[in-house]
Amino acid sequence: MNRVNKILKHKRYREYVRRNEKEEQNRQFCKHGMTHFLDVARIAWHLNVEENAGIDKELIYAAALLHDIGRHLQYTDGIPHEQAGVLLAPPILAECGFEREETEAVLSAIGAHRDESVSGRNGLDGILYRADKLSRPCYWCEREADCNWKQGKKNMKLKY
């Protein structure tokens, strides 16, 4: 997990997470900070093990830590955050020691983490998508009735 820990200490990564926190300080629904990133990473790891997907742990954690880093650009510039994340993540991955093929896999997962068509895939794209949705405690949220997520997308049962 050496490279993942480098991501956590990376200056730009920390800046992007702080920008997300600032933009979401008054948000009433799910937030996109470190708690969410780690929930997604841990659930994705569970899915990987249960499904015998064989995905490297560092790739799972890298994708989970980076999947929402572009959220602040969605708020400030109207860029969909999965697209913004694909733009922001490559230098961080490169500077933290990820190879080209690994970076491509992580970027693919970041770019697809809101694309329901990947939900059934066994690779990193599908696992990140499912972990992202499973990480949300909609079953406990006081704002669930006001949330604009479709009913079938909401996580209404605890699984992980």
Side-chain angles (χ1 to χ4, degrees), residues 2-144:
N2 185 44
R3 297 180 297 173
V4 169
N5 284 298
K6 286 181 181 180
I7 291 172
L8 292 173
K9 294 183 184 304
H10 195 280
K11 183 179 178 179
R12 273 178 275 162
Y13 176 73
R14 296 174 74 84
E15 176 187 333
Y16 300 148
V17 174
R18 298 286 183 246
R19 285 184 186 178
N20 283 356
E21 290 170 351
K22 181 180 179 234
E23 292 299 324
E24 292 187 337
Q25 64 187 1
N26 296 318
R27 184 176 163 92
Q28 296 179 29
F29 299 103
C30 298
K31 296 190 179 190
H32 302 86
M34 192 54 61
T35 299
H36 172 59
F37 298 157
L38 291 174
D39 287 346
V40 172
R42 292 172 179 143
I43 291 169
W45 180 249
H46 280 284
L47 292 170
N48 179 57
V49 170
E50 285 180 0
E51 297 171 11
N52 294 315
I55 302 167
D56 181 77
K57 189 175 187 179
E58 281 197 306
L59 292 184
I60 288 173
Y61 272 75
L65 290 175
L66 293 165
H67 81 281
D68 281 337
I69 62 165
R71 199 72 195 194
H72 63 279
L73 292 175
Q74 184 165 320
Y75 298 125
T76 61
D77 299 347
I79 302 169
H81 74 271
E82 68 278 13
Q83 293 174 21
V86 168
L87 296 173
L88 298 175
I92 295 170
L93 290 163
E95 291 166 22
C96 293
F98 288 86
E99 300 294 328
R100 186 178 55 80
E101 294 84 15
E102 294 172 317
T103 296
E104 288 173 5
V106 169
L107 294 178
S108 176
I110 292 170
H113 85 271
R114 295 177 70 197
D115 180 356
E116 196 170 352
S117 72
V118 305
S119 65
R121 292 187 190 165
N122 292 327
L124 186 57
D125 290 4
I127 285 177
L128 184 67
Y129 175 90
R130 291 191 303 282
D132 187 39
K133 306 314 170 264
L134 289 166
S135 74
R136 299 305 190 177
C138 304
Y139 50 81
W140 194 255
C141 181
E142 293 179 10
R143 303 295 312 226
E144 182 268 325

